[in-house]
Each structure stands twice: as structure tokens, then as C-alpha cells.
Amino acid sequence: MLLDTASLYYRAYFGVPDSVRAPDGTPVNAVRGLLDFIARLVQDHRPTDLVACMDADWRPQWRVDLIPSYKAHRVAEETAQGPDVEETPDTLAPQVPMIERVLDAIGIARVGVAGYEADDVIGTLAGQATGPVDIVTGDRDLYQLVDDARGARVLYPLKGVGTLQLTDEAVLREKYGVDGRGYVDLALLRGDPSDGLPGVPGIGEKTAARLLDAFGDLAGIMAAVDDPSAKLTPSQRKKLYEARPYLDVAPKVVRVAADVPLPPFDPVLPAEPRDPAALEELGAQWGLGGSLQRLLSVLHG
């Protein structure tokens, strides 16, 4: 089980009131919400291995070099060295180091790699897996990793993590008309304002799905643009032709990396905390109470 950790703690932050606080008054709603999410996921799905994948760089320069608008609207502060600072709610940012310390004390593997997003870590781990993989994320970009033959599916939270959409290729075909492999082409044609991806002006999701159905993939669509006999409307041909500079680079930006140099780590889900003393201290300091106890009892069970 691979967790898109930031996606989940954002959901926890907005799903749990910030009146949930530590004894010193610090909000801990994202920390407690995430622990509750993990407890529920482990209880319901019983993974043998679990990795909390982290954004060491939420906006990698190599993606920005290709598409400068990539996530540009989410930059709070540019930095000369290292990743730009992402716009994050004031009371969420201080909770991220807390989350990292608690996961480390529990012994849940936490993997982030400089220059890469959590999506890329997930893509690399999913590609290396020898058995079935559940990817837990609220980010539809990761639908591209759905692969029935490999047993890779996305668990997409609809409401908390108690109600998950178990996304396999049948769900993707029903909702979008594509399989996991085709989702990258659909996403880059359609565009994604939340990631600053412009897409092809005038080509929405339904048109993109029809084009992919007719021509197979992006390469097939672009070959059709150059083929006067291909069944494209003059308007579609013009839009796709004019978007070619974007379409030449977009696949590299939208496709998750499969070759991230991962550090050594142990993905096995722990039955007992790695550092019980530190965990007890963190639990008391931040008032993690029932959330922490529920997770520990599920792990132990």
C-alpha cells in the first residue's frame, strides 16, 4: 500500500476541525486525521507493506523547465536554493514535521527523494512491486498507474477514507473511456488548472476521450493531424496543430517518473512501534490520544 501522504493529510486537515489541538493549543487536526486514515486503511485492507510517500519537492524544476506554468499559482515564495515554498494553510505547515516524527517513531516507512514529487516515488515503487499494489490518493493523476494485469489500483477517497472508490480499469473506462495507460494522454489534452497544465484550448475531457478512442493514443492523434485524410474536424486539427509545442513536452511532465533513485528502507508494516519511548512522548506532547492508540492497536492486531 502506497500513500500519497500530502494528499491524505490535506484531506485530514480540511476534514477534521482545527479545534482539535495539542495541550499547548497547537492545532493537530491533520496529524490526528492522518493517523485515523492510516488505521482505517490498515484495518480494512490489511497490507503487508505500507509506504508513506512524501513530496521532497512538490514542484520539481525539471517539470517547470518544460511547462513554466506547472503549479505556478501555488507558489507562496520563490527560493534560489531548493524547492519553492508552497502556499499552505498557516496551521497545516507546522503539522507536517509532526507527522514525519510520529510516522518515524511508529516505524512506518517514509520515503521522499530530492527533486521528485510523491507521485514519482509512488510510480517507481508501483513499477518495482512484485505483487498487487493499492495506491491511496485524492489525486486523479495517479489513475495512470492503474493496471489490472499487475494488480495495481487506486483507492480514491470520496468521503474520508471510510468511503473509497476502488479504481480499476473498468472504473476508468466507464468514467473516462480510457485505461490507466491512456489516462496520461487524456489528462494532458484536457489540461488541469489545479496543476497549471493548460491542455489544448477547446479540447475538453469528452472530446479528448473520443479522439483517443479513434486514434489510440497521443502519437496516433498527432499523426492524424498531419494526415489530410484522417477524420478530424478542421477546428480540432487547427487546435491540435497549434498546441504541438505543449503536446511535445506535456507527456514528460504529466507522466510520473518510474526511475526515482530510492534510498534503502523497510516497507514492512510494523506490529510494534520502532521507538515506543519517543512515540509516548510525542503522543503526550501533541495530545494524539485516541487517534494514536487506534492505529497502534490495529497494527498490533
Side-chain angles (χ1 to χ4, degrees), residues 9 54-55 95-105 110:
Y9 66 60
M54 312 296 289
D55 280 322
Q95 296 188 60
V96 179
M98 291 187 208
I99 286 167
E100 294 176 345
R101 288 177 65 188
V102 172
L103 292 177
D104 290 351
R110 187 170 64 79

Side-chain angles (χ1 to χ4, degrees), residues 4 16 18 21 50 56 61 72 98 129 165 174 201 212 217 282 295:
D4 181 2
V16 178
D18 76 353
R21 295 181 178 242
L50 186 138
Q61 191 59 45
M98 291 187 208
Q165 174 186 285
E174 185 186 336
L212 289 167
D217 58 14
L282 294 170
L295 176 53

Side-chain angles (χ1 to χ4, degrees), residues 136-218:
V136 189
T137 180
D139 182 352
R140 293 187 301 172
D141 290 346
L142 287 168
Y143 286 168
Q144 64 184 274
L145 296 173
V146 169
D147 184 340
D148 287 0
R150 303 199 59 214
R153 60 183 186 169
V154 166
L155 309 186
Y156 184 88
L158 298 172
K159 193 175 178 203
V161 288
T163 312
L164 294 167
Q165 174 186 285
L166 304 184
T167 312
D168 58 9
E169 288 185 17
V171 170
L172 290 184
R173 285 198 193 91
E174 185 186 336
K175 284 178 90 82
Y176 304 105
V178 295
D179 58 12
R181 193 182 297 259
Y183 193 82
V184 169
D185 291 345
L186 179 82
L188 61 87
L189 285 164
R190 173 193 69 202
D192 186 347
S194 70
D195 280 343
L197 293 172
V200 178
I203 304 277
E205 191 166 274
K206 287 190 169 60
T207 304
R210 279 199 299 273
L211 291 171
L212 289 167
D213 187 47
F215 302 108
D217 58 14
L218 181 63

Side-chain angles (χ1 to χ4, degrees), residues 6-18:
S7 164
L8 296 178
Y9 66 60
Y10 259 89
R11 287 191 170 231
Y13 176 80
F14 288 107
V16 178
D18 76 353

Side-chain angles (χ1 to χ4, degrees), residues 22-24 278-289 292:
D24 69 357
L279 193 59
E280 193 172 333
E281 190 180 319
L282 294 170
Q285 182 185 346
W286 293 328
L288 302 180
L292 182 55

Side-chain angles (χ1 to χ4, degrees), residues 26-56:
T26 308
V28 291
N29 51 331
V31 189
R32 289 193 61 154
L34 180 67
L35 294 175
D36 282 332
F37 276 3
I38 296 173
R40 183 68 187 264
L41 289 164
V42 172
Q43 182 182 312
D44 290 354
H45 300 280
R46 293 288 164 194
T48 50
D49 297 353
L50 186 138
V51 184
C53 303
M54 312 296 289
D55 280 322

